[in-house]
Amino acid sequence: GIASVVVGHPLDTVKTRLQAGQGYGNTLKCFLTVYRNESVTGFFKGMSFPMATTGLYSSVVFGVFSSTQRFLGQLRHGDAAAAPSLADMTVASSVAGFVSVAIGTPVDLVKIRLQMQTQPYSKADVKLKPTAPGSPVYRGPIHCFWTILQKEGIAGIYRGTVAMLLRDVPGYCVYFIPYAVFCDWATPEGCISPSPFSVWLAGGVAGAISWGLCTPMDVVKSRLQADGVYLNQYKGTLDCILQSYQNEGLKVFFRGLTVNTVRGFPSSAAMFLGYELSLKAMKRGQTETNP
């Protein structure tokens, strides 16, 4: 999880600015604008909170997915270790996506609020213009979390939950299933498990597919969660969809598509490779301890 955050966060910042910000133009212009105005540190805004929580988040996603597969294998085939069918993987992926939203929504909210705060925080700035667009509002992730909680309550912390469910439930289906298919395709006959390179490649391809297909709902989620840094524009998911369409047309839902797809490859490749290698290391350790 940590590997995924470090690799993907700079592009995630660009993606969020393109989707929820104004005046950034295309991907290259957005890169240059962020760098010119905020230097390299601008690309890493909001990274600390996802970094601190990614262990829990990734454990839940992968744990729920694999546990659901084992449960379905035992229920349908009488063997928890039975090779999962496409239906089993679909159900397991959907359950993992549904459960992950409980943890992922507050984390994404804080990340996006900090990413959309385009200036570094200083007390002098806040005294002058605390709510003007472009002026800093949050000192950091903890301050951001507590500020939202105090002003908006639990509902504020879970702003964008519906959009995130609509993104992540189908999103994890087109994440885990392509990964399993490509891993199986890249593993030679007679090999028990795929090579690290196969895992890296399959994870990257699965991530690119998943993030590319989920971009429309990712745009809606980003806009809903960014809404509230300086003003409140949207009443909910449907209102956000309608306003975005009326103001900017159908193309608005494909903002950040290129950077989302490109970011999905290294981020997911790092995630799956880290997961598989960690799992192998732990299994090897258990075997050595309990021969």
Side-chain angles (χ1 to χ4, degrees), residues 110 114 117 121 137-150:
V110 171
L114 291 174
Q117 179 174 276
Y121 183 95
V137 177
Y138 310 115
R139 290 194 293 266
I142 303 300
H143 180 247
C144 178
F145 183 88
W146 284 114
T147 300
I148 297 168
L149 188 61
Q150 288 169 355

Short mmCIF file of all heavy atoms in Angstrom, two decimals, residues 110 114 117 121 137-150:
data_model
loop_
_atom_site.label_atom_id
_atom_site.label_comp_id
_atom_site.label_asym_id
_atom_site.label_seq_id
_atom_site.Cartn_x
_atom_site.Cartn_y
_atom_site.Cartn_z
N VAL A 110 -9.96 13.89 2.99
CA VAL A 110 -8.85 14.70 3.54
C VAL A 110 -7.78 14.91 2.48
O VAL A 110 -7.26 16.03 2.32
CB VAL A 110 -8.26 14.01 4.79
CG1 VAL A 110 -6.98 14.72 5.24
CG2 VAL A 110 -9.29 14.02 5.92
N LEU A 114 -6.79 18.69 0.92
CA LEU A 114 -5.42 19.22 1.00
C LEU A 114 -4.84 19.44 -0.38
O LEU A 114 -4.09 20.40 -0.60
CB LEU A 114 -4.54 18.27 1.82
CG LEU A 114 -4.87 18.19 3.31
CD1 LEU A 114 -4.04 17.11 3.99
CD2 LEU A 114 -4.62 19.52 4.01
N GLN A 117 -6.15 22.67 -1.76
CA GLN A 117 -5.69 23.87 -1.05
C GLN A 117 -4.37 24.28 -1.70
O GLN A 117 -3.33 23.70 -1.42
CB GLN A 117 -5.50 23.54 0.43
CG GLN A 117 -4.99 24.69 1.28
CD GLN A 117 -4.96 24.33 2.75
OE1 GLN A 117 -5.96 24.42 3.44
NE2 GLN A 117 -3.82 23.88 3.24
N TYR A 121 -0.01 26.55 4.15
CA TYR A 121 -0.69 27.18 5.29
C TYR A 121 0.28 28.05 6.08
O TYR A 121 1.40 27.68 6.38
CB TYR A 121 -1.25 26.10 6.21
CG TYR A 121 -2.03 26.64 7.38
CD1 TYR A 121 -3.41 26.75 7.31
CD2 TYR A 121 -1.40 27.05 8.55
CE1 TYR A 121 -4.14 27.24 8.38
CE2 TYR A 121 -2.12 27.55 9.62
CZ TYR A 121 -3.50 27.64 9.53
OH TYR A 121 -4.22 28.13 10.58
N VAL A 137 -6.52 26.81 4.24
CA VAL A 137 -7.57 26.60 5.23
C VAL A 137 -7.12 25.60 6.30
O VAL A 137 -7.41 25.76 7.47
CB VAL A 137 -8.86 26.09 4.55
CG1 VAL A 137 -9.94 25.80 5.59
CG2 VAL A 137 -9.37 27.11 3.54
N TYR A 138 -6.37 24.57 5.87
CA TYR A 138 -6.00 23.47 6.77
C TYR A 138 -4.50 23.44 7.02
O TYR A 138 -3.70 23.60 6.10
CB TYR A 138 -6.45 22.13 6.17
CG TYR A 138 -7.89 22.11 5.71
CD1 TYR A 138 -8.22 21.97 4.37
CD2 TYR A 138 -8.93 22.24 6.63
CE1 TYR A 138 -9.54 21.95 3.94
CE2 TYR A 138 -10.26 22.22 6.21
CZ TYR A 138 -10.56 22.08 4.87
OH TYR A 138 -11.86 22.06 4.45
N ARG A 139 -4.13 23.20 8.28
CA ARG A 139 -2.71 23.12 8.65
C ARG A 139 -2.10 21.79 8.24
O ARG A 139 -0.89 21.69 8.05
CB ARG A 139 -2.55 23.32 10.16
CG ARG A 139 -2.84 24.72 10.64
CD ARG A 139 -2.34 24.92 12.05
NE ARG A 139 -3.07 24.12 13.02
CZ ARG A 139 -4.13 24.57 13.70
NH1 ARG A 139 -4.59 25.79 13.48
NH2 ARG A 139 -4.74 23.79 14.57
N GLY A 140 -2.92 20.76 8.14
CA GLY A 140 -2.43 19.42 7.81
C GLY A 140 -3.57 18.44 7.87
O GLY A 140 -4.74 18.82 8.08
N PRO A 141 -3.30 17.14 7.71
CA PRO A 141 -4.37 16.14 7.65
C PRO A 141 -5.22 16.04 8.91
O PRO A 141 -6.45 15.93 8.82
CB PRO A 141 -3.64 14.83 7.36
CG PRO A 141 -2.22 15.08 7.70
CD PRO A 141 -1.98 16.53 7.46
N ILE A 142 -4.59 16.07 10.08
CA ILE A 142 -5.35 15.96 11.33
C ILE A 142 -6.23 17.19 11.53
O ILE A 142 -7.41 17.08 11.89
CB ILE A 142 -4.41 15.77 12.54
CG1 ILE A 142 -3.52 14.53 12.33
CG2 ILE A 142 -5.21 15.65 13.83
CD1 ILE A 142 -4.29 13.24 12.17
N HIS A 143 -5.66 18.37 11.29
CA HIS A 143 -6.43 19.61 11.40
C HIS A 143 -7.58 19.62 10.40
O HIS A 143 -8.70 20.04 10.73
CB HIS A 143 -5.51 20.82 11.15
CG HIS A 143 -6.23 22.13 11.24
ND1 HIS A 143 -6.40 22.95 10.13
CD2 HIS A 143 -6.82 22.76 12.29
CE1 HIS A 143 -7.07 24.04 10.51
NE2 HIS A 143 -7.33 23.95 11.80
N CYS A 144 -7.33 19.13 9.20
CA CYS A 144 -8.37 19.04 8.17
C CYS A 144 -9.50 18.12 8.62
O CYS A 144 -10.68 18.47 8.53
CB CYS A 144 -7.75 18.53 6.86
SG CYS A 144 -8.94 18.31 5.51
N PHE A 145 -9.15 16.94 9.12
CA PHE A 145 -10.14 15.96 9.56
C PHE A 145 -11.02 16.54 10.67
O PHE A 145 -12.25 16.46 10.59
CB PHE A 145 -9.43 14.69 10.06
CG PHE A 145 -10.36 13.59 10.48
CD1 PHE A 145 -10.82 12.67 9.55
CD2 PHE A 145 -10.77 13.47 11.80
CE1 PHE A 145 -11.68 11.65 9.93
CE2 PHE A 145 -11.64 12.46 12.18
CZ PHE A 145 -12.09 11.55 11.26
N TRP A 146 -10.39 17.15 11.69
CA TRP A 146 -11.16 17.66 12.82
C TRP A 146 -11.98 18.89 12.45
O TRP A 146 -13.08 19.09 12.96
CB TRP A 146 -10.23 17.99 13.99
CG TRP A 146 -9.77 16.76 14.72
CD1 TRP A 146 -8.52 16.26 14.80
CD2 TRP A 146 -10.60 15.85 15.46
NE1 TRP A 146 -8.50 15.10 15.54
CE2 TRP A 146 -9.76 14.84 15.95
CE3 TRP A 146 -11.97 15.81 15.75
CZ2 TRP A 146 -10.25 13.78 16.72
CZ3 TRP A 146 -12.45 14.76 16.51
CH2 TRP A 146 -11.59 13.76 16.98
N THR A 147 -11.46 19.69 11.54
CA THR A 147 -12.22 20.87 11.09
C THR A 147 -13.50 20.45 10.39
O THR A 147 -14.58 20.99 10.64
CB THR A 147 -11.36 21.73 10.12
OG1 THR A 147 -10.18 22.17 10.80
CG2 THR A 147 -12.15 22.94 9.64
N ILE A 148 -13.39 19.45 9.49
CA ILE A 148 -14.58 18.95 8.78
C ILE A 148 -15.55 18.31 9.77
O ILE A 148 -16.76 18.53 9.70
CB ILE A 148 -14.18 17.93 7.70
CG1 ILE A 148 -13.29 18.59 6.63
CG2 ILE A 148 -15.42 17.33 7.04
CD1 ILE A 148 -12.63 17.62 5.68
N LEU A 149 -15.02 17.53 10.71
CA LEU A 149 -15.87 16.85 11.69
C LEU A 149 -16.63 17.85 12.55
O LEU A 149 -17.82 17.68 12.82
CB LEU A 149 -15.00 15.94 12.57
CG LEU A 149 -15.75 15.00 13.53
CD1 LEU A 149 -16.64 14.03 12.76
CD2 LEU A 149 -14.76 14.25 14.41
N GLN A 150 -15.95 18.93 12.98
CA GLN A 150 -16.59 19.93 13.83
C GLN A 150 -17.63 20.75 13.06
O GLN A 150 -18.69 21.07 13.59
CB GLN A 150 -15.52 20.87 14.41
CG GLN A 150 -14.66 20.21 15.48
CD GLN A 150 -13.46 21.05 15.86
OE1 GLN A 150 -13.18 22.09 15.26
NE2 GLN A 150 -12.71 20.60 16.87
#
